[in-house]
Amino acid sequence: MHDLQELIDNNARWADAITQRDPDFFAKLARQQTPEFLWIGCSDARVPANEIVGMLPGDLFVHRNVANVVLHTDLNCLSVIQYAVEVLKVKHILVTGHYGCGGVRAAMQDRQLGLIDGWLRSIRDLYYEKRGELAKLDTEEAQVDRLCELNVIQQVANVAHTSIIQNAWHRGQELSIHGCIYGIKDGRWKSLDTTISGFAQLPPQYRLRALE
């Protein structure tokens, strides 16, 4: 079992290794935070955002929750998006799911799990909406993995539908939302080719006029 001192020792070795490669790294990091990317991902401990894409501290602004869900009532997630877009001026939002997601799997089952049932309700709704497509797949694992992809695609849309994103576009800010997925079994991270970069890619009913 790991104890706190072991983690402190690990941190010391990590900080020393970074400093040896770049003696000014932490001094530069302390002066400013200028990431170009916001990562919205799952809380799963097997999905470390920076490491997956080979980035150092300071390169990614990160928000994580169970099953990488973006709800229009989640002030935590929306606050992160607003800060990233309006203050940090990120250029890319990376909505990243992962295959075999436990949250997605739970939304496909009929067991009660407690408080999280409410959190996963939007994925359960998506599961019902896509039930015909998913039923064509041969195995439960294939169905789970496809729903993981569909969930990412839905969350990309949810991000793009916010007034935060659309006001950035009205200001002429360069900003794209990308849907990506990570394979825990092979370590590969890939695009789902669902990038949204402007109003033309939104259904008309979700387009918001600029504030007057």
Side-chain angles (χ1 to χ4, degrees), residues 18-33:
I18 295 286
T19 302
Q20 287 175 9
R21 291 201 300 267
D22 182 357
D24 297 324
F25 178 82
F26 289 109
K28 291 183 291 187
L29 193 64
R31 286 196 293 268
Q32 61 181 346
Q33 178 180 212

PDB file of all heavy atoms in Angstrom, residues 18-33:
ATOM      1  N   ILE A  18      12.674  16.892 -13.832  1.00  0.00           N
ATOM      2  CA  ILE A  18      12.254  18.007 -14.677  1.00  0.00           C
ATOM      3  C   ILE A  18      13.292  19.132 -14.623  1.00  0.00           C
ATOM      4  O   ILE A  18      13.673  19.711 -15.652  1.00  0.00           O
ATOM      5  CB  ILE A  18      10.886  18.547 -14.231  1.00  0.00           C
ATOM      6  CG1 ILE A  18       9.791  17.493 -14.445  1.00  0.00           C
ATOM      7  CG2 ILE A  18      10.547  19.849 -14.954  1.00  0.00           C
ATOM      8  CD1 ILE A  18       9.386  17.287 -15.884  1.00  0.00           C
ATOM      9  N   THR A  19      13.766  19.442 -13.435  1.00  0.00           N
ATOM     10  CA  THR A  19      14.727  20.539 -13.252  1.00  0.00           C
ATOM     11  C   THR A  19      16.058  20.238 -13.928  1.00  0.00           C
ATOM     12  O   THR A  19      16.714  21.134 -14.472  1.00  0.00           O
ATOM     13  CB  THR A  19      14.935  20.811 -11.754  1.00  0.00           C
ATOM     14  OG1 THR A  19      13.673  21.122 -11.144  1.00  0.00           O
ATOM     15  CG2 THR A  19      15.891  21.979 -11.536  1.00  0.00           C
ATOM     16  N   GLN A  20      16.451  18.974 -13.908  1.00  0.00           N
ATOM     17  CA  GLN A  20      17.698  18.606 -14.581  1.00  0.00           C
ATOM     18  C   GLN A  20      17.601  18.824 -16.088  1.00  0.00           C
ATOM     19  O   GLN A  20      18.556  19.251 -16.731  1.00  0.00           O
ATOM     20  CB  GLN A  20      18.051  17.148 -14.272  1.00  0.00           C
ATOM     21  CG  GLN A  20      18.547  16.934 -12.846  1.00  0.00           C
ATOM     22  CD  GLN A  20      18.775  15.466 -12.530  1.00  0.00           C
ATOM     23  OE1 GLN A  20      18.730  14.613 -13.418  1.00  0.00           O
ATOM     24  NE2 GLN A  20      19.015  15.156 -11.257  1.00  0.00           N
ATOM     25  N   ARG A  21      16.431  18.520 -16.656  1.00  0.00           N
ATOM     26  CA  ARG A  21      16.241  18.712 -18.099  1.00  0.00           C
ATOM     27  C   ARG A  21      16.112  20.184 -18.453  1.00  0.00           C
ATOM     28  O   ARG A  21      16.564  20.622 -19.506  1.00  0.00           O
ATOM     29  CB  ARG A  21      14.995  17.956 -18.578  1.00  0.00           C
ATOM     30  CG  ARG A  21      15.123  16.448 -18.550  1.00  0.00           C
ATOM     31  CD  ARG A  21      14.118  15.788 -19.472  1.00  0.00           C
ATOM     32  NE  ARG A  21      12.745  16.117 -19.099  1.00  0.00           N
ATOM     33  CZ  ARG A  21      11.999  15.369 -18.282  1.00  0.00           C
ATOM     34  NH1 ARG A  21      12.512  14.285 -17.730  1.00  0.00           N
ATOM     35  NH2 ARG A  21      10.761  15.717 -18.005  1.00  0.00           N
ATOM     36  N   ASP A  22      15.438  20.949 -17.576  1.00  0.00           N
ATOM     37  CA  ASP A  22      15.193  22.369 -17.843  1.00  0.00           C
ATOM     38  C   ASP A  22      15.222  23.117 -16.515  1.00  0.00           C
ATOM     39  O   ASP A  22      14.210  23.207 -15.824  1.00  0.00           O
ATOM     40  CB  ASP A  22      13.837  22.552 -18.541  1.00  0.00           C
ATOM     41  CG  ASP A  22      13.550  24.007 -18.888  1.00  0.00           C
ATOM     42  OD1 ASP A  22      14.371  24.892 -18.542  1.00  0.00           O
ATOM     43  OD2 ASP A  22      12.502  24.269 -19.515  1.00  0.00           O
ATOM     44  N   PRO A  23      16.374  23.680 -16.142  1.00  0.00           N
ATOM     45  CA  PRO A  23      16.519  24.325 -14.825  1.00  0.00           C
ATOM     46  C   PRO A  23      15.524  25.459 -14.581  1.00  0.00           C
ATOM     47  O   PRO A  23      15.205  25.749 -13.428  1.00  0.00           O
ATOM     48  CB  PRO A  23      17.958  24.849 -14.850  1.00  0.00           C
ATOM     49  CG  PRO A  23      18.666  23.953 -15.810  1.00  0.00           C
ATOM     50  CD  PRO A  23      17.649  23.634 -16.874  1.00  0.00           C
ATOM     51  N   ASP A  24      15.025  26.102 -15.641  1.00  0.00           N
ATOM     52  CA  ASP A  24      14.105  27.236 -15.485  1.00  0.00           C
ATOM     53  C   ASP A  24      12.640  26.839 -15.616  1.00  0.00           C
ATOM     54  O   ASP A  24      11.760  27.705 -15.605  1.00  0.00           O
ATOM     55  CB  ASP A  24      14.419  28.310 -16.533  1.00  0.00           C
ATOM     56  CG  ASP A  24      15.817  28.892 -16.360  1.00  0.00           C
ATOM     57  OD1 ASP A  24      16.245  29.030 -15.197  1.00  0.00           O
ATOM     58  OD2 ASP A  24      16.460  29.199 -17.384  1.00  0.00           O
ATOM     59  N   PHE A  25      12.362  25.537 -15.741  1.00  0.00           N
ATOM     60  CA  PHE A  25      10.994  25.101 -16.048  1.00  0.00           C
ATOM     61  C   PHE A  25       9.975  25.600 -15.027  1.00  0.00           C
ATOM     62  O   PHE A  25       8.965  26.215 -15.377  1.00  0.00           O
ATOM     63  CB  PHE A  25      10.921  23.574 -16.142  1.00  0.00           C
ATOM     64  CG  PHE A  25       9.530  23.060 -16.409  1.00  0.00           C
ATOM     65  CD1 PHE A  25       9.030  23.051 -17.702  1.00  0.00           C
ATOM     66  CD2 PHE A  25       8.721  22.612 -15.365  1.00  0.00           C
ATOM     67  CE1 PHE A  25       7.739  22.585 -17.950  1.00  0.00           C
ATOM     68  CE2 PHE A  25       7.436  22.151 -15.610  1.00  0.00           C
ATOM     69  CZ  PHE A  25       6.945  22.143 -16.905  1.00  0.00           C
ATOM     70  N   PHE A  26      10.219  25.352 -13.759  1.00  0.00           N
ATOM     71  CA  PHE A  26       9.225  25.704 -12.748  1.00  0.00           C
ATOM     72  C   PHE A  26       9.130  27.208 -12.537  1.00  0.00           C
ATOM     73  O   PHE A  26       8.068  27.745 -12.236  1.00  0.00           O
ATOM     74  CB  PHE A  26       9.506  24.968 -11.436  1.00  0.00           C
ATOM     75  CG  PHE A  26       9.220  23.498 -11.516  1.00  0.00           C
ATOM     76  CD1 PHE A  26      10.256  22.579 -11.526  1.00  0.00           C
ATOM     77  CD2 PHE A  26       7.919  23.039 -11.609  1.00  0.00           C
ATOM     78  CE1 PHE A  26       9.992  21.213 -11.619  1.00  0.00           C
ATOM     79  CE2 PHE A  26       7.646  21.679 -11.696  1.00  0.00           C
ATOM     80  CZ  PHE A  26       8.690  20.761 -11.711  1.00  0.00           C
ATOM     81  N   ALA A  27      10.242  27.912 -12.721  1.00  0.00           N
ATOM     82  CA  ALA A  27      10.205  29.378 -12.624  1.00  0.00           C
ATOM     83  C   ALA A  27       9.330  29.963 -13.721  1.00  0.00           C
ATOM     84  O   ALA A  27       8.518  30.869 -13.480  1.00  0.00           O
ATOM     85  CB  ALA A  27      11.614  29.946 -12.715  1.00  0.00           C
ATOM     86  N   LYS A  28       9.469  29.431 -14.934  1.00  0.00           N
ATOM     87  CA  LYS A  28       8.635  29.894 -16.046  1.00  0.00           C
ATOM     88  C   LYS A  28       7.176  29.508 -15.818  1.00  0.00           C
ATOM     89  O   LYS A  28       6.263  30.293 -16.110  1.00  0.00           O
ATOM     90  CB  LYS A  28       9.146  29.302 -17.361  1.00  0.00           C
ATOM     91  CG  LYS A  28      10.495  29.849 -17.813  1.00  0.00           C
ATOM     92  CD  LYS A  28      10.914  29.291 -19.162  1.00  0.00           C
ATOM     93  CE  LYS A  28      11.252  27.817 -19.069  1.00  0.00           C
ATOM     94  NZ  LYS A  28      11.817  27.282 -20.338  1.00  0.00           N
ATOM     95  N   LEU A  29       6.966  28.317 -15.305  1.00  0.00           N
ATOM     96  CA  LEU A  29       5.599  27.831 -15.073  1.00  0.00           C
ATOM     97  C   LEU A  29       4.880  28.693 -14.039  1.00  0.00           C
ATOM     98  O   LEU A  29       3.683  28.969 -14.158  1.00  0.00           O
ATOM     99  CB  LEU A  29       5.644  26.372 -14.604  1.00  0.00           C
ATOM    100  CG  LEU A  29       4.329  25.585 -14.611  1.00  0.00           C
ATOM    101  CD1 LEU A  29       3.816  25.430 -16.040  1.00  0.00           C
ATOM    102  CD2 LEU A  29       4.547  24.223 -13.976  1.00  0.00           C
ATOM    103  N   ALA A  30       5.606  29.150 -13.041  1.00  0.00           N
ATOM    104  CA  ALA A  30       5.006  29.941 -11.970  1.00  0.00           C
ATOM    105  C   ALA A  30       4.590  31.333 -12.439  1.00  0.00           C
ATOM    106  O   ALA A  30       3.688  31.948 -11.866  1.00  0.00           O
ATOM    107  CB  ALA A  30       5.981  30.059 -10.803  1.00  0.00           C
ATOM    108  N   ARG A  31       5.238  31.825 -13.486  1.00  0.00           N
ATOM    109  CA  ARG A  31       4.957  33.193 -13.939  1.00  0.00           C
ATOM    110  C   ARG A  31       3.659  33.301 -14.717  1.00  0.00           C
ATOM    111  O   ARG A  31       2.999  34.334 -14.694  1.00  0.00           O
ATOM    112  CB  ARG A  31       6.126  33.706 -14.799  1.00  0.00           C
ATOM    113  CG  ARG A  31       7.362  34.052 -13.988  1.00  0.00           C
ATOM    114  CD  ARG A  31       8.325  34.903 -14.802  1.00  0.00           C
ATOM    115  NE  ARG A  31       8.906  34.162 -15.916  1.00  0.00           N
ATOM    116  CZ  ARG A  31      10.056  33.481 -15.845  1.00  0.00           C
ATOM    117  NH1 ARG A  31      10.722  33.443 -14.696  1.00  0.00           N
ATOM    118  NH2 ARG A  31      10.537  32.855 -16.903  1.00  0.00           N
ATOM    119  N   GLN A  32       3.275  32.255 -15.420  1.00  0.00           N
ATOM    120  CA  GLN A  32       2.063  32.373 -16.226  1.00  0.00           C
ATOM    121  C   GLN A  32       1.500  30.996 -16.568  1.00  0.00           C
ATOM    122  O   GLN A  32       2.202  29.994 -16.540  1.00  0.00           O
ATOM    123  CB  GLN A  32       2.340  33.132 -17.519  1.00  0.00           C
ATOM    124  CG  GLN A  32       3.365  32.479 -18.433  1.00  0.00           C
ATOM    125  CD  GLN A  32       3.614  33.288 -19.687  1.00  0.00           C
ATOM    126  OE1 GLN A  32       2.859  34.181 -20.003  1.00  0.00           O
ATOM    127  NE2 GLN A  32       4.679  32.969 -20.404  1.00  0.00           N
ATOM    128  N   GLN A  33       0.193  30.996 -16.899  1.00  0.00           N
ATOM    129  CA  GLN A  33      -0.491  29.799 -17.354  1.00  0.00           C
ATOM    130  C   GLN A  33      -1.080  30.117 -18.732  1.00  0.00           C
ATOM    131  O   GLN A  33      -1.999  30.918 -18.845  1.00  0.00           O
ATOM    132  CB  GLN A  33      -1.611  29.404 -16.377  1.00  0.00           C
ATOM    133  CG  GLN A  33      -2.397  28.193 -16.814  1.00  0.00           C
ATOM    134  CD  GLN A  33      -3.504  27.801 -15.850  1.00  0.00           C
ATOM    135  OE1 GLN A  33      -3.823  26.630 -15.702  1.00  0.00           O
ATOM    136  NE2 GLN A  33      -4.129  28.779 -15.203  1.00  0.00           N
TER     137      GLN A  33
END
